[in-house]
Amino acid sequence: MQQNREVIRVFLAPLPVSDLQVSEITPSSLELNWNYTDGCGPVTYIVTGGSSPKEEQIVSGTSAVISNLPCGDEITFTVVAVAADGTTEGEGKDLSVFTIPLAVSDLWASEITPSSLVLNWNYTDGCGPVTYIITGGSLPAKGQSVSGTSTVISDLPCGDEVTFTVVAVAADGTTEGEGKDLSVFTNPLAISDLWASEITPSSVVLNWNYTDGCGPVTYIVTGGSLPAKGQVVSGTSTLITDLPCGDEVTFTVVAVAADGTTQGEAKDFSVFTTPLPVSDLQVSEITPSSLVLSWNYTDSCGPVTYIITGGSSPAEEQIFSGTSTVISDLPCGDEVTFTVVAVAADGTTEGEGKDLSVFTISLIHLYVSFSFTEPATVSNLHATEITTTSVALSWTAPVGCDAVTYIVTGSSLPNEGWNVSETSTSTTGFKCGEQVSFTVVATAADGTTQGAPQSISLFTKPATVSNLHATEITTTSVALSWTAPVGCDAVTYIVTGSSLPNEGWNVSETSTSTTGFKCGEQVSFTVVATAADGTTQGAPQSISLFTKPATVSNLHATEITTTSVALSWTAPVGCDAVTYIVTGSSLPNEGWNVSETSTSTTGFKCGEQVSFTVVATAADGTTQGAPQSISLFTKPATVSNLHATEITTTSVALSWTAPVGCDAVTYIVTGSSLPNEGWNVSETSTSTTGFKCGEQVSFTVVATAADGTTQGAPQSISLFTKPATVSNLHATEITTTSVALSWTAPVGCDAVTYIVTGSSLPNEGWNVSETSTSTTGFKCGEQVSFTVVATAADGTTQGAPQSISLFTKPATVSNLHATEITTTSVGLSWTAPVGCDAVTYIVTGSSLPNEGWNVSETSTSTTGFKCGEQVSFTVVATAADGTTQGAPQSISLFTKPATVSNLHATEITTTSVALSWTAPVGCDAVTYIVTGSSLPNEGWNVSETSTSITGFKCGEQVSFTVVATAADGTTQGAPQSISLFTMMPEEQCYMDMHILDFKYEYRNAKDLL
């Protein structure tokens, strides 16, 4: 007896994952990592959560990149290990994490004062909620937490660089976005005590004070003859030349922080340059008590008025607006001295005074003849002051002489010279750098007797050179140029300064160059125009500048993200302290001032080409070295929705969503069967072939910027090719309640399992590792269908299905019996199988076709048999497919024999009867059952067509029935009967008959025969 076995495969729940954590968190993605116990598997993992809590991602490894996440927000992930059946799950492990907020944008400072500023920034709406941590400046090390997008920061050092970092922080208070840096200088304080000194007709020295510790600063001085952008000064004083004489000039001094742009409050100062001295001072119309004093004055040097002192009261001053005046009330015949000074429009700034001594006419002229000895020679004749246009002379009076006066002759003086009563005088109207000669002769009181002359030759000072500037600055050298003083005689120049000898260089041209400096070094130079004597010098003109820093080297990106770039470089070797100006994409036109050799900037699009230039800048904030540039691409964002659009047994077609908001990108696809360097793909889909069926294949897609090398974060997928279709799916055994299936495994595939679905199986089917299975629980005769799908090792990737539809065997009919049997026909009936679906019946047997009869009812009849013929029938219940049959039920029987004929007594005695009959015609072999008088109830079985019976009484009425019986001994034909009397002696027979009161006529026994 065959025993049916049902195979049930059960998977135990996997263990929970452990050490669930995240890494590589960005504003829109993260990598989820976990561990799993070796030996407890194999398993895959279902990861839920992220951008769509209902979305599930099936992962074969212990990490997954999750993208398209909301920035700066909390998200919860659940990781569940799933057994190889794809349905049995372990306990889920949860992890809540915040994505990184975006970096703030547009970080700027406003309302900057010497000690405070307002820090402002923007932040992307919908990326949060966030707070902000600001560090830097005077803030504590842990920073200041701010809920809005601006804050006031105070207690800052004045005129100094402060760097702030603003970081957006997620609602957990710990997850921080990328920091955004801003370096800014606070305003320097205003200078104090601004004043002028050493004022001349064409120059002033401007002086001021500045608060120590508020800096370092330089100063921009504007006004006067300075260029519109001003003059940069490192000290607290400067010489300003080429000013208009006798005029008001206004200067503004502003302290400038080390960035060269941040300025404090400006301080203004107005001053008048000294007017020039008057010239050609002379008298006319002299009387005993008055005279006319007149002079000339240089046009355009003004406006001026004039103060005249001298006359009747030397202390008395008179103010005149013209260039001549009448002086009266003078002492007659006496010497009077006048001084004329040009005064600027402020009424206080005076030029150099011009003196003139003269005698009024005496009322009484005495003509007395005197004889005077020659005065001695004056000594120590020298210049007490030399300017560009004037010379002041002084000498020592002759020793031991009576009163004398002096006649001074020389350059620009009248031929007769000047009469001077003092031992000094001055004269003007020269050209700068002009060689002038003077002779002083002591003259006796008669005005004619002269001593020996004393002479001096000298040069006026050259004017100050102008437009002193550097025509070329390198890292080790400076080339200077300047404009020669205007209107001067031939001059040479002495150049002094950094790296030059103490005595300087004598230069005949208006340019020179010098070398030997360090890069970025502050150097100062002074150029003095020198007259032809090589010693008389004009006012110095100075310049302070810096050599160019060397070029930075090794400019490279230390970190590139989708929206930011961090740069680093190597400082120039051998240079003095330098800062750096970084210009480029997304930066202001003027760039960023950076004191370190690294910086970072954000706000780019992913995959965007950005360029940066770094220039080392000397301490003046303006002198720059050669630029060093770099061009690169930000990282593209991660592709999303990487999935297979078509999987066959040998190929995979992939598709993905391009990174959002990126510049044009291509993609590098790496993975199974691809070259190591991967494929470059310009579209968001590709396909590859050449795999085995059911093979595990992995692919990684990386978005690549236009340079072909800058790559975003990889997005990976692991999947299996479809297994091939199983073949030869068939039933190896079918019973009334069960089916055993078998199939042939796909050829050439990696290890596969099978999912069997169909009638009575769970919706998800059965996972089967062998190529056969069995299932039970059906109704008999039930139509059942099964599908077998080969499934790859991931438990989900399926090949094409192979299906089969069949019927369970119907149960066996019962109570098969003949309802009617005749000599030539049989009527059959049976009971239908219990609990089966609709069935029909195939009846086979004697006289029926080989294939039998199909019968839908539970009865049938058939004819055409011989009487007494043994016939057999089999009834099989057949399912609705007409082929699936239950166990057969059979019956064997005989048709009824025909009735015997010609039944008669062949001999009757007084105690016995001999019977004979004719056998039924056309019947199979029969025997006969003879029943009747004196016979046993069951009768006699007789094989011949005659028999005799004895044991009767004479004259007894006897009856006999003969039935033909088929070979089974039970099937009988119709009975044939006979009734008769045994024989008696005549007398006895009559008496007995009379006694019996038979009411019929006596007959002779012979007549009865």
Side-chain angles (χ1 to χ4, degrees), residues 536-714:
T536 303
Q537 298 179 353
Q541 179 72 302
S542 297
I543 188 173
S544 180
L545 50 85
F546 286 80
T547 55
K548 284 188 176 180
T551 307
V552 301
S553 60
N554 190 29
L555 175 58
H556 64 285
T558 55
E559 182 181 15
I560 301 174
T561 72
T562 55
T563 58
S564 67
V565 175
L567 298 173
S568 179
W569 56 88
T570 301
V573 177
C575 291
D576 280 356
V578 294
T579 56
Y580 307 93
I581 295 178
V582 182
T583 57
S585 305
S586 87
L587 298 178
N589 289 337
E590 65 275 11
W592 275 356
N593 284 303
V594 178
S595 58
E596 303 297 323
T597 57
S598 62
T599 190
S600 63
T601 179
T602 189
F604 304 113
K605 289 194 296 180
C606 52
E608 179 182 0
Q609 184 174 18
V610 290
S611 299
F612 301 97
T613 298
V614 178
V615 177
T617 305
D620 60 354
T622 57
T623 304
Q624 299 179 354
Q628 179 74 298
S629 298
I630 188 174
S631 180
L632 48 85
F633 286 78
T634 55
K635 283 188 176 179
T638 307
V639 302
S640 59
N641 191 28
L642 175 58
H643 64 286
T645 55
E646 182 182 14
I647 301 174
T648 71
T649 56
T650 60
S651 67
V652 176
L654 298 173
S655 179
W656 57 88
T657 300
V660 177
C662 290
D663 279 357
V665 296
T666 55
Y667 308 93
I668 295 178
V669 182
T670 56
S672 305
S673 86
L674 297 179
N676 290 338
E677 66 277 8
W679 275 356
N680 284 306
V681 179
S682 58
E683 304 298 322
T684 56
S685 63
T686 190
S687 63
T688 179
T689 190
F691 305 113
K692 289 195 295 181
C693 54
E695 179 182 359
Q696 183 174 15
V697 290
S698 299
F699 301 97
T700 297
V701 178
V702 178
T704 305
D707 61 353
T709 56
T710 304
Q711 298 180 353

Side-chain angles (χ1 to χ4, degrees), residues 748-768:
C749 291
D750 279 357
V752 295
T753 56
Y754 307 93
I755 295 178
V756 182
T757 56
S759 305
S760 86
L761 297 178
N763 290 336
E764 65 275 11
W766 274 357
N767 283 304
V768 178

Side-chain angles (χ1 to χ4, degrees), residues 31-32 253 260 491 505 587 643 658 741-742 982:
E31 183 172 305
L32 207 58
V253 181
V491 294
W505 276 356
L587 298 178
H643 64 286
L741 298 173
S742 179
T982 57

Side-chain angles (χ1 to χ4, degrees), residues 244-248 272-273 275-276 297-305 343-345:
C245 60
D247 206 356
E248 183 176 27
F272 281 81
T273 53
L276 290 172
Y297 190 71
T298 303
D299 291 340
S300 77
C301 185
V304 294
T305 55
V343 182

Side-chain angles (χ1 to χ4, degrees), residues 153-219:
I153 301 175
S154 55
D155 296 326
L156 299 175
C158 60
D160 208 353
E161 182 178 26
V162 284
T163 299
F164 298 98
T165 300
V166 179
V167 178
V169 182
D172 61 352
T174 56
T175 302
E176 298 182 356
E178 180 184 355
K180 184 80 174 185
D181 296 330
L182 175 68
S183 291
V184 65
F185 281 80
T186 53
N187 286 348
L189 292 174
I191 66 168
S192 60
D193 306 325
L194 180 58
W195 77 97
S197 64
E198 301 182 32
I199 304 172
T200 74
S202 60
S203 65
V204 297
V205 174
L206 208 56
N207 309 271
W208 59 87
N209 290 324
Y210 188 71
T211 303
D212 289 340
C214 182
V217 295
T218 54
Y219 307 92

